[in-house]
Amino acid sequence: MNRILIAEDEPRIAAFIEKGLRSHGFTTSVATDAQSAADMANGSAFDLLILDLGLPGKDGLKVLEELRGQGEKLPVIILTARDDIQDKVAGFEAGADDYITKPFRFEELLVRVKARLRNNLNNQDASEMVIKIRNIVLDLRARQVKVGEQTIELPAREFTLTETFFRHPGQVLSREQLLDRVWGYDYDPGSNIVDVYVGYLRKKLGSNLIETVRGMGYRLRT
Ligand code: CA
């Protein structure tokens, strides 16, 4: 639960937020206009949206209204220079969960992001928060993995990679898909980081858990 979409057309601000969030273990992607923000936010690829209001193409408020109109429940934090009380009210009425005005301190954004993600977890049905495949139990709330009776500690990226496989059991996931979901940015497609991490998971969770599908990617055996 750490994939964050940043809708921000100002490259310096987007880079600043990305850098900070990544250094705290979050996975980030940036949408630089209203249409791509709406497209990317719709679905289950992200756990939270940080939304600028002054976006090319359409106002961020409109993007938010449309997302909520489509039933999208993704937590949204508005991050904008508009600091009038009317703007804040309009933001919350459009369905924002929080509202931060620019200029802002990264520490404040981070605290609010964490609070939102925590709230969201608390609101989810506990049964959705555990995935069990074979003898492995993935507890998404505690971010803990149990193999049989043994609890295995996984660093953030390894956990997110495991979660990605467990959400798509039996499905072939390409290196590009895994890079995008877990690392969330334009890693060199020739990079072998996915293979290295799959190797870590095989060592920790069982050597035959993740199968190599030649020329295509990897699949979690069910
Ligand atoms: Ca802007």
Side-chain angles (χ1 to χ4, degrees):
M1 305 302 285
N2 60 2
R3 299 157 303 176
I4 298 177
L5 176 61
I6 302 159
E8 174 62 68
D9 61 319
E10 176 63 55
R12 282 178 53 196
I13 298 176
F16 172 69
I17 299 171
E18 277 211 291
K19 186 163 168 264
L21 289 175
R22 283 184 193 163
S23 75
H24 285 84
F26 294 95
T27 294
T28 56
S29 295
V30 175
T32 55
D33 63 71
Q35 190 57 51
S36 50
D39 291 344
M40 289 166 82
N42 212 336
S44 57
F46 294 97
D47 304 309
L48 185 138
L49 167 63
I50 296 172
L51 179 66
D52 177 29
L53 293 184
L55 286 173
K58 202 185 280 179
D59 197 90
L61 218 51
K62 200 86 191 118
V63 172
L64 179 55
E65 280 170 0
E66 286 172 8
L67 283 172
R68 293 301 187 230
Q70 291 154 7
E72 181 56 63
K73 293 190 177 70
L74 177 81
V76 175
I77 298 176
I78 290 178
L79 182 62
T80 178
R82 296 179 203 164
D83 58 0
D84 282 357
I85 186 67
Q86 291 94 324
D87 290 316
K88 290 185 187 174
V89 169
F92 283 110
E93 280 180 352
D97 299 281
D98 206 343
Y99 195 107
I100 304 175
T101 53
K102 297 171 182 169
F104 65 101
R105 294 283 299 265
F106 179 75
E107 290 74 13
E108 185 185 5
L109 177 65
L110 181 64
V111 166
R112 304 239 198 147
V113 163
K114 285 182 176 170
R116 274 307 130 206
L117 290 175
R118 204 160 47 230
N119 264 355
N120 205 38
L121 277 187
N122 292 341
N123 291 339
Q124 285 182 23
D125 182 356
S127 64
E128 287 174 20
M129 301 309 296
V130 172
I131 307 175
K132 185 170 190 292
I133 290 173
R134 301 164 93 191
N135 66 334
I136 303 176
V137 178
L138 199 64
D139 185 333
L140 300 174
R141 189 188 294 258
R143 295 187 72 74
Q144 209 176 54
V145 185
K146 265 188 153 181
V147 180
E149 289 303 301
Q150 199 192 355
T151 301
I152 313 269
E153 292 298 329
L154 292 182
R157 295 271 188 231
E158 291 175 38
F159 189 90
T160 307
L161 182 62
T162 307
E163 180 184 344
T164 307
F165 277 118
F166 273 61
R167 286 186 185 278
H168 306 276
Q171 191 182 324
V172 179
L173 299 170
S174 70
R175 281 179 183 74
E176 291 72 29
Q177 282 173 319
L178 293 168
L179 269 178
D180 188 51
R181 299 263 172 97
V182 179
W183 283 267
Y185 47 104
D186 292 331
Y187 238 91
D188 171 11
S191 151
N192 69 345
I193 192 161
V194 171
D195 312 81
V196 170
Y197 273 71
V198 166
Y200 294 157
L201 295 189
R202 282 173 173 158
K203 271 200 197 102
K204 292 178 181 177
L205 306 179
S207 56
N208 63 356
L209 178 67
I210 300 165
E211 152 184 45
T212 305
V213 183
R214 200 166 289 282
M216 295 178 72
Y218 293 103
R219 172 164 55 203
L220 182 74
R221 286 210 177 98
T222 54

